């Protein structure tokens, strides 16, 4: 879908892009601070003087067709916007990203437009334009454009996940009783950055013992003890694209109950990996893994969705859950991460990330998934 078709669908003639991930995707600009405008007569990326040179290089490399315009003290943003809007004839309906803009951000931007009218339009034009301008929510229109990844995006996502594989391999060599959860998280992060990551795609999770019953536990000073589950959920950013992986190990020797729970989660995860393919609905894939856990008697302990899409942002759409009816298509990236979390006992989650294909799932994760007893 092109900008023109999105605008036609929303009955708009101007498109404003402010979300940093959409700025990267549609313009090529990696700086994150700025705004892009699509008018009937051209495409413009407005950035301040800190980013002008980098923005021009990014836009040129991406061949996105945007013209970079710098705003500064001499040429304020309001004046530039006024000059662009002055070229519009008739109604001006602006499509904006209501899903990512906060109320305060929207007010600030709309006030900038109003300020442009006050400063640079005659009284007659100001009155006329103010009655003809409308703001129209975009909803998911731009996000949907990003769902199916191009081959070059898939390759970057694959490389990002490979960095996670290396981090897991590295941390297995040093895990031992007495380490704190914070130390485990730090070692994972150090390995990812040492192996080429530009940053983290989310805050690293390292949860041990009873803390592992919390799916998004925050690493703390708790020390690893023999008999602990240790759930590690980690990811990095490589060339702008995210990775996501979870592995659960046992410190020392696993109990029979730990083995039982782990193997239920493993069965659910591997079954979902084996059946997912283009043409299935998200909700159908979720149900396959969820039913395995439910039939084993642990359904109440699996509360989150089976997975989510990943790209420039760690949680994109569609999602594998009990509500999403989206039909999966070739090139969509999905995580598959079932879990069982029992308060007072601990929890297990196993997660891979890969691309949906015509006949299956191109799994980017290579780390072993059988139960590992450390130390």
């Amino acid at each position: 879908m092109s900008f023109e078709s999105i605008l036609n669908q929303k009955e708009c003639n101007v498109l404003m892009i402010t979300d940093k991930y959409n700025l990267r995707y549609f313009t090529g600009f990696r700086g994150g601070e700025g705004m892009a405008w699509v008018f009937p007569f051209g495409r413009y990326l407005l950035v301040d003087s800190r980013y002008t040179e980098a923005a021009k290089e990014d836009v040129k490399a991406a061949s996105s067709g945007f013209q970079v315009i710098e705003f500064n003290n001499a040429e304020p943003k309001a004046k530039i916007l006024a000059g662009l809007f002055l070229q519009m004839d008739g109604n001006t309906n602006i499509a904006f990203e209501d899903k990512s803009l906060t109320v305060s951000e929207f007010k600030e931007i709309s006030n900038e437009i109003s300020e442009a009218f006050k400063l640079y339009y005659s009284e007659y034009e100001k009155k006329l334009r103010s009655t003809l301008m409308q703001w129209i929510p975009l909803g998911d229109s731009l996000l949907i454009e990003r769902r199916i990844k191009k081959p070059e995006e898939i390759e970057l996502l694959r490389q990002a996940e490979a960095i996670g594989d290396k981090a897991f391999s590295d941390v297995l060599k040093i895990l031992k009783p007495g380490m704190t959860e914070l130390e485990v998280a730090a070692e994972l992060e150090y390995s990812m950055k040492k192996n080429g990551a530009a940053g983290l795609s989310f805050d690293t999770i390292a949860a041990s013992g009873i803390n592992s019953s919390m799916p998004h536990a925050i690493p703390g000073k708790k020390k690893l003890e023999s008999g602990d589950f240790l759930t590690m959920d980690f990811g990095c950013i490589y060339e702008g694209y995210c990775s996501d992986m979870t592995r659960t190990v046992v410190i020392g020797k696993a109990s029979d109950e730990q083995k039982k729970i782990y193997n239920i989660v493993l069965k659910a995860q591997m079954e979902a990996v084996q059946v997912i393919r283009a043409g299935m609905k998200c909700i159908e894939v979720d149900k396959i893994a969820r039913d395995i856990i439910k039939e084993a008697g642990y359904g109440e302990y699996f509360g989150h969705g089976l997975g989510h899409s990943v790209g420039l942002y760690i949680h994109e759409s569609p999602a594998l859950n009990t509500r999403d009816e989206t039909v999966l298509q070739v090139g969509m990236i999905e995580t598959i991460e079932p879990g069982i979390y029992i308060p007072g006992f601990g929890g297990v989650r196993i997660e891979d990330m890969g691309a949906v294909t015509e006949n299956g799932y191109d799994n980017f994760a290579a780390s072993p998934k059988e139960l590992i007893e450390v130390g």
Side-chain angles (χ1 to χ4, degrees), residues 88-106:
M88 294 293 296
D89 293 319
N91 291 340
T92 303
N93 295 332
I94 307 172
F96 73 99
E97 297 168 296
D98 57 303
K99 289 293 186 76
S100 58
L101 272 180
T102 65
V103 172
S104 62
E105 288 169 338
F106 175 75

Side-chain angles (χ1 to χ4, degrees), residues 5 45 49 73 98 101 238 242 256 295 314 337 355 358 368:
S5 58
L45 174 64
S49 56
N73 291 332
D98 57 303
L101 272 180
Y238 178 76
C242 299
D256 289 343
E295 289 166 8
I314 189 60
E337 48 180 304
E358 189 68 39

Side-chain angles (χ1 to χ4, degrees), residues 174-187:
I174 59 174
L175 288 178
K176 61 182 179 180
M179 287 182 71
T180 67
E181 295 170 339
L182 284 168
E183 288 177 303
V184 175
E187 293 291 347

Side-chain angles (χ1 to χ4, degrees), residues 35-39 41-46 66-67 69 84:
M35 54 172 48
W37 291 86
V38 178
F39 287 91
F41 47 81
R43 302 177 181 183
Y44 305 92
L45 174 64
L46 275 62
F66 279 81
Q67 177 184 336
I69 301 179
L84 293 171

Side-chain angles (χ1 to χ4, degrees), residues 320-345:
L320 306 178
N321 60 35
T322 58
R323 305 173 304 280
D324 198 325
E325 298 274 356
T326 302
V327 176
L328 293 167
Q329 299 180 59
V330 173
M332 288 181 171
I333 307 298
E334 296 294 331
T335 66
I336 298 179
E337 48 180 304
I340 293 176
Y341 314 93
I342 304 174
F345 178 79

Side-chain angles (χ1 to χ4, degrees), residues 12 19 42 55 84 96 113 132 134 141 232 239 248 259-260 280 289 292 299 306 309 321 333 345 350 356 358:
C12 294
D19 177 83
L84 293 171
F96 73 99
I113 305 296
L132 295 176
Q134 294 187 65
S141 296
M232 296 167 284
E239 296 293 334
T248 301
K259 291 178 181 178
K260 175 185 175 183
M280 293 185 70
I292 291 172
L306 178 64
S309 186
N321 60 35
I333 307 298
F345 178 79
I350 304 169
V356 177
E358 189 68 39

Side-chain angles (χ1 to χ4, degrees), residues 347-371:
V348 175
R349 181 165 66 257
I350 304 169
E351 175 186 20
D352 293 338
M353 183 181 91
V356 177
T357 69
E358 189 68 39
N359 300 310
Y361 184 71
D362 180 7
N363 196 339
F364 300 159
S367 294
K369 289 186 283 191
E370 70 274 5
L371 179 59

